[in-house]
């Protein structure tokens, strides 16, 4: 009998190993546990039970099959439990069609119908009650079975009771408890993701209002000046032009930030890298002037790439803005555009404060910012996610006090296909 207990414990530990893998898989996707994942886990568990089955005497076959058979109904519902029931009967059939086989058909038939129908009720229970219910269901068949087929000539030792009742009870307890833990973790993760999203939105609105406020207050100032009736025509024109420009800037900032808020909208097309860079430089010139940053642009070979123009603009802008911000009192920003036969390469180099290895590592982490209330820590995630969505790569080389170089590598646009189309048609 001791052997049987050992074997059952082995069986149980294999079920736990399976559960461990199951949990690892679940940890990866944050969606709630699906019926199919329960089906996979419990079916594999059942197979393990049958592989490690113990034939004590013709009428006693011990294994832990009652655990998957009980829990699948409670966790995944009637159709799953009935499915697993048929698999059980087939597998048990291979071991012999004897009285044990018919007891399996009968006892588990009732069992899976009951557990499957109680599925919704079970899921609404509190943890402790779930444990009681699952244990109750998993030992009931053993007890019924025992009453039906007990052979008085058997000598029922302690080992027998351990194998017959204790191991299944402990197994059911651990497995139910672990499944509940996994479910809890997933629910927690979902909550955290939601909270992070809400936080991102509020950070985003904070930074939009912050950056939009400056041009708006400038505009307001010039409009106020315009109210002066003694102002000559020339000045009026200049002031209103400045007001318009400032409003355009505010509008531009909103549009730029909103490319992050609308990640689903894709508007793909050809992008000429140098044009985007020139556009951005005109936007950031005031910032560069304020920091006495000299801007150098070197177009070695212009690359044409594919992507959403607004998002690409946003990504580059965020990187270039950081470079300028890294040089609060003077420095040189050099932007070099070049290409290889298959790649377009953009190098953005600053002579700014630089970053430690740890800081480089944390780039692209939401809300990582060393700028206190002036930073949002959103610029780099936007940049990284845009670059990755365009199948691009970001390489960072940074040294404290020396400066930082961001190298962006994108696959070049293949419009060769379109050009070769007429040729192909000629051949046909
Ligand atoms: P923010 O600019 O709002 O702080 P970002 O996501 O744009 O947020 O950047 C995150 C952090 O990365 C910055 O706070 C800064 O510490 C660091 N960083 C990014 N680019 C550079 C750079 N060119 N030089 C030095 N540090 C940089
Ligand atoms: Mg930034």
């Amino acid at each position: 009998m001791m052997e049987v207990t050992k074997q059952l414990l082995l069986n149980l530990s294999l079920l736990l190993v399976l559960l461990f893998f199951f949990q690892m898989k679940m940890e990866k996707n944050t969606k709630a546990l699906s019926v199919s994942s329960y089906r996979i886990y419990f079916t594999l568990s059942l197979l393990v039970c049958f592989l490690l089955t113990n034939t004590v005497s013709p009428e006693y076959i011990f294994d832990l099959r009652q655990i998957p058979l009980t829990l699948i109904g409670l966790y995944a519902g009637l159709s799953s439990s009935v499915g697993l029931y048929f698999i059980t009967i087939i597998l048990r059939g291979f071991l012999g069609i004897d009285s044990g086989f018919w007891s399996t058909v009968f006892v588990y038939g009732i069992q899976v119908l009951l557990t499957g129908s109680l599925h919704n009720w079970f899921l609404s229970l509190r943890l402790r009650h779930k444990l009681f219910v699952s244990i109750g269901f998993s030992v009931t068949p053993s007890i019924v079975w025992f009453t039906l087929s007990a052979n008085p000539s058997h000598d029922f030792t302690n080992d027998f009771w351990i194998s017959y009742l204790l191991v299944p009870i402990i197994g059911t307890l651990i497995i139910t408890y672990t499944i509940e833990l996994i479910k809890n973790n997933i629910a927690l993760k979902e909550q955290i993701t939601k909270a992070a999203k809400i936080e991102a939105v509020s950070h985003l609105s904070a930074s939009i209002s912050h950056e939009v406020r400056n041009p708006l207050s400038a505009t307001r100032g010039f409009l106020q000046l315009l109210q002066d009736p003694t102002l000559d025509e020339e000045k009026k024109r200049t002031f209103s032009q400045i007001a318009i420009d400032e409003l355009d800037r505010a509008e531009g900032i909103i549009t730029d930030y909103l490319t992050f808020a609308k990640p689903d909208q894709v508007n793909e097309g050809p992008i000429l890298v140098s044009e985007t860079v020139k556009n951005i430089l005109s936007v950031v010139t005031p910032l560069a002037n304020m920091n006495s940053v000299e801007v150098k642009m070197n177009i070695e070979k212009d690359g044409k790439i594919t992507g959403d123009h607004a998002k690409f603009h946003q990504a580059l802008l965020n990187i270039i803005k950081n470079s300028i911000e890294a040089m609060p009192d003077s420095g040189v920003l050099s932007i070099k555009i070049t290409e290889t036969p298959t790649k377009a390469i953009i190098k953005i180099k600053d002579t700014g404060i630089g970053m430690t290895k740890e800081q480089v590592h944390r780039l692209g982490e939401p809300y990582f910012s060393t700028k206190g209330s002036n930073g949002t820590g959103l610029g780099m995630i936007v940049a990284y996610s845009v670059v990755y969505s365009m199948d691009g790569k970001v390489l960072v080389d940074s040294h404290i006090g020396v400066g930082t170089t961001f190298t962006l590598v994108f696959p070049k646009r293949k419009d060769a296909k379109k050009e070769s189309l007429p040729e192909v048609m000629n051949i046909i």
Side-chain angles (χ1 to χ4, degrees):
M1 235 19 223
M2 200 61 211
E3 277 308 304
V4 176
T5 310
K6 270 193 200 156
Q7 182 89 349
L8 281 184
L9 287 175
L10 174 67
N11 188 340
L12 176 58
S13 41
L14 281 178
L15 296 191
L16 294 179
V17 169
L18 267 181
L19 191 59
F20 174 74
F21 281 116
F22 174 71
Q23 169 170 24
M24 287 211 309
K25 199 184 154 283
M26 288 304 127
E27 293 272 289
K28 279 194 195 132
N29 66 37
T30 38
K31 284 197 197 98
L33 289 183
S34 62
V35 169
S36 65
S37 47
Y38 284 122
R39 283 183 184 167
I40 294 170
Y41 171 63
F42 289 123
T43 310
L44 288 176
S45 301
L46 186 82
L47 295 179
V48 167
C49 293
F50 270 101
L51 282 177
L52 292 174
T53 198
N54 304 274
T55 311
V56 179
S57 65
E59 66 270 39
Y60 288 122
I61 293 180
F62 281 140
D63 53 53
L64 293 178
R65 77 183 78 145
Q66 66 265 48
I67 297 180
L69 269 170
T70 306
L71 295 184
I72 194 170
L74 295 178
Y75 278 107
L78 193 59
S79 60
S80 309
S81 67
V82 170
L84 199 65
Y85 169 69
F86 284 114
I87 298 178
T88 310
I89 290 178
I90 292 167
L91 290 175
R92 182 60 184 81
F94 282 124
L95 297 178
I97 302 197
D98 45 26
S99 66
F101 171 80
W102 293 112
S103 322
T104 301
V105 171
F106 176 68
V107 177
Y108 285 124
I110 296 172
Q111 158 99 347
V112 297
L113 286 178
L114 269 179
T115 51
S117 338
L118 291 176
H119 162 65
N120 284 327
W121 168 77
F122 176 77
L123 288 185
S124 70
L125 294 180
R126 281 197 278 143
L127 175 64
R128 191 182 308 169
H129 298 154
K130 275 184 185 157
L131 294 176
F132 279 127
V133 171
S134 60
I135 289 172
F137 271 113
S138 106
V139 292
T140 311
S142 309
I143 293 168
V144 173
W145 202 308
F146 182 77
T147 335
L148 285 181
S149 60
N151 184 341
S153 66
H154 257 289
D155 155 30
F156 297 116
T157 59
N158 281 344
D159 271 336
F160 172 84
W161 292 113
I162 289 176
S163 316
Y164 205 65
L165 290 178
L166 199 61
V167 179
I169 287 177
I170 293 174
T172 312
L173 186 81
I174 297 178
I175 292 175
T176 310
Y177 190 74
T178 314
I179 290 178
E180 289 301 316
L181 266 185
I182 298 175
K183 279 173 60 184
N184 232 334
N185 279 348
I186 291 174
L188 250 169
K189 251 194 200 165
E190 261 174 10
Q191 271 179 16
I192 292 171
T193 332
K194 232 181 243 165
K197 273 186 194 156
I198 291 166
E199 213 187 317
V201 171
S202 65
H203 266 263
L204 203 62
S205 39
S207 61
I208 292 174
S209 64
H210 172 79
E211 297 200 32
V212 168
R213 195 166 289 142
N214 296 338
L216 285 187
S217 47
T219 309
R220 187 179 189 282
F222 283 108
L223 288 179
Q224 218 159 15
L225 288 178
L226 278 174
Q227 283 180 338
D228 182 354
T230 61
L231 216 61
D232 61 67
E233 277 304 309
E234 178 65 32
K235 277 216 168 111
K236 269 188 193 164
R237 213 173 301 124
T238 325
F239 288 170
S240 53
Q241 188 54 49
I242 296 176
I244 290 169
D245 289 347
E246 289 293 315
L247 281 181
D248 284 347
R249 212 180 113 208
E251 199 200 343
I253 290 168
I254 293 173
T255 324
D256 278 345
Y257 271 102
L258 286 184
T259 58
F260 181 45
K262 290 189 289 187
D264 306 333
Q265 286 193 8
V266 196
N267 204 349
E268 280 203 345
I271 300 172
L272 199 59
V273 176
S274 65
E275 238 164 60
T276 313
V277 172
K278 280 179 198 156
N279 260 330
I280 293 169
L281 287 182
S282 69
V283 174
V284 297
T285 303
L287 182 65
N289 288 342
M290 215 168 70
N291 294 8
S292 331
V293 167
E294 185 191 339
V295 182
K296 286 182 184 167
M297 178 148 139
N298 172 9
I299 306 174
E300 209 164 76
K301 269 182 181 172
D302 201 353
K304 210 185 206 182
I305 58 179
T306 307
D308 181 321
H309 184 267
K311 287 181 182 164
F312 177 65
H313 184 278
Q314 168 89 79
L316 267 188
L317 173 71
N318 290 355
I319 295 173
I320 291 175
K321 248 174 59 187
N322 280 343
S323 302
I324 298 175
E325 284 163 357
M327 303 179 282
D329 27 53
S330 87
V332 182
L333 169 69
S334 347
I335 299 172
K336 185 173 153 188
I337 302 168
T338 180
E339 62 171 30
T340 68
T342 55
K343 309 270 181 210
I345 300 166
I346 310 161
K347 269 187 195 287
I348 299 154
K349 182 172 177 235
D350 68 59
T351 56
I353 51 174
M355 283 176 275
T356 62
K357 274 221 171 72
E358 204 245 332
Q359 286 172 338
V360 172
H361 192 70
R362 292 188 61 188
L363 282 177
E365 186 180 296
Y367 315 125
F368 164 64
S369 173
T370 52
K371 296 171 191 165
S373 60
N374 291 328
T376 58
L378 289 173
M380 290 307 295
I381 359 168
V382 176
Y384 275 47
S385 65
V386 170
V387 173
Y388 293 153
S389 76
M390 293 168 68
D391 295 322
K393 273 192 290 191
V394 185
L395 307 168
V396 187
D397 181 32
S398 189
H399 300 280
I400 285 284
V402 179
T404 307
T405 305
F406 280 90
T407 308
L408 310 183
V409 185
F410 294 97
K412 259 197 335 207
R413 183 178 178 83
K414 303 183 198 79
D415 34 14
K417 259 188 218 154
K418 275 184 203 152
E419 283 157 21
S420 68
L421 204 60
E423 271 179 52
V424 174
M425 287 166 77
N426 282 342
I427 295 166
I428 294 168

